Amino acid sequence: MRGATSPVLAAALADAQAQFAALIYPGFISETGLRRLPDLARYLRAISRRLEVAAEDPRRDAERTATVHRVSAAYRQAVEQLPPARRSDSDVRAVRWMIEELRVSLFAQVLGASGPVSEKRIQAALARLANAAGP
């Protein structure tokens, strides 16, 4: 990545490294599942694409990173508020994958997200999780 010593570009690199670590770890294949592996490959290509273009407009990258961090923090908070047995349910995991799709949409649009995704859609999905959790 050109200019990785720039604080803004260093932040993009650190975020990309954290994303990579959240996707690729011991046991990720069995946890991710075979159905998701093609998506996983696209997410990895999106990381690469992001790092190729981040230097072109570091401010835009930082703004998009802030969007991802907002929904990621909201997701973590929503999951923490769920009963432990509910945290790995398919609708909860689906929101996690929506965040990865948002990253594709924001940083590597040329690769295409698997469907419509936005910060607003993710927040709505998180609200549904909270409502399904009950009082």
Side-chain angles (χ1 to χ4, degrees):
M1 177 177 187
R2 294 174 284 130
T5 56
S6 158
V8 173
L9 296 180
L13 180 59
D15 183 64
Q17 289 170 331
Q19 179 189 8
F20 182 89
L23 292 169
I24 307 296
Y25 52 87
F28 79 92
I29 292 175
S30 61
E31 190 170 313
T32 301
L34 290 176
R35 186 180 75 76
R36 279 264 175 217
L37 290 182
D39 292 327
L40 187 65
R42 188 167 39 84
Y43 302 150
L44 296 175
R45 287 192 307 275
I47 291 171
S48 178
R49 174 76 177 145
R50 175 194 183 179
L51 294 176
E52 290 170 4
V53 301
E56 294 172 10
D57 192 343
R59 186 179 65 198
R60 180 180 63 204
D61 187 90
E63 290 168 356
R64 292 173 176 180
T65 300
T67 298
V68 171
H69 287 186
R70 271 193 309 274
V71 296
S72 296
Y75 174 73
R76 283 190 302 275
Q77 182 180 8
V79 170
E80 287 172 5
Q81 292 175 354
L82 294 172
R86 172 105 169 74
R87 294 176 184 169
S88 62
D89 286 356
S90 63
D91 60 337
V92 178
R93 289 191 324 268
V95 177
R96 183 259 193 268
W97 294 118
M98 287 177 73
I99 295 170
E100 291 302 327
E101 294 296 336
L102 179 65
R103 284 181 172 276
V104 171
S105 175
L106 294 174
F107 297 114
Q109 195 171 39
V110 66
L111 297 177
S114 67
V117 65
S118 67
E119 182 177 10
K120 184 177 178 178
R121 286 177 187 264
I122 292 171
Q123 293 293 356
L126 291 172
R128 285 190 299 273
L129 291 179
N131 291 338

